[in-house]
Amino acid sequence: MFEVMGPVSWILVGLLAGALAKFFMPGKDPGGCLMTVVIGVAGAFIGGILASYVGFGGVSGPNLPTLLTATAGAFVLLFVLRLVRGKRRR
C-alpha cells in the first residue's frame, strides 16, 4: 500500500499539502505553521489510505500524484476539523 518515505519527505510533502489545503480553504485556524504541517502529514496518510481503498494508488514518494493525494486528504481533514470546531462553539 505505502512505499516507505523518509521523515523529511513526509514533512516536506505535509508542509506543501497543508499549505495548499489552507490556500484553497482560507479561514481562521489555530496552530500556525506547525499545525499546517501536522494537518498536511495526517492528510497525506488519510489521502493515501482513501486513494488506495478506491483504487487510485497510494502515497509512493515525493511526487506530483502524492502531493495531490496528500492535499486532498489535508483538505478533507481541515474541513472535518472546522466542522467539529464549529459544532463545539454552538
Side-chain angles (χ1 to χ4, degrees), residues 17-80:
L20 286 170
K22 283 195 126 171
F23 176 77
F24 289 116
M25 192 173 174
K28 292 185 178 183
D29 293 308
C33 264
L34 182 60
M35 192 58 153
T36 298
V37 173
V38 170
I39 288 171
V41 172
F45 184 72
I46 291 168
I49 289 172
L50 292 175
S52 293
Y53 182 71
V54 297
F56 289 125
V59 176
S60 61
N63 53 39
L64 185 59
T66 295
L67 182 60
L68 294 175
T69 301
T71 302
F75 188 81
V76 168
L77 181 60
L78 187 58
F79 180 76
V80 169

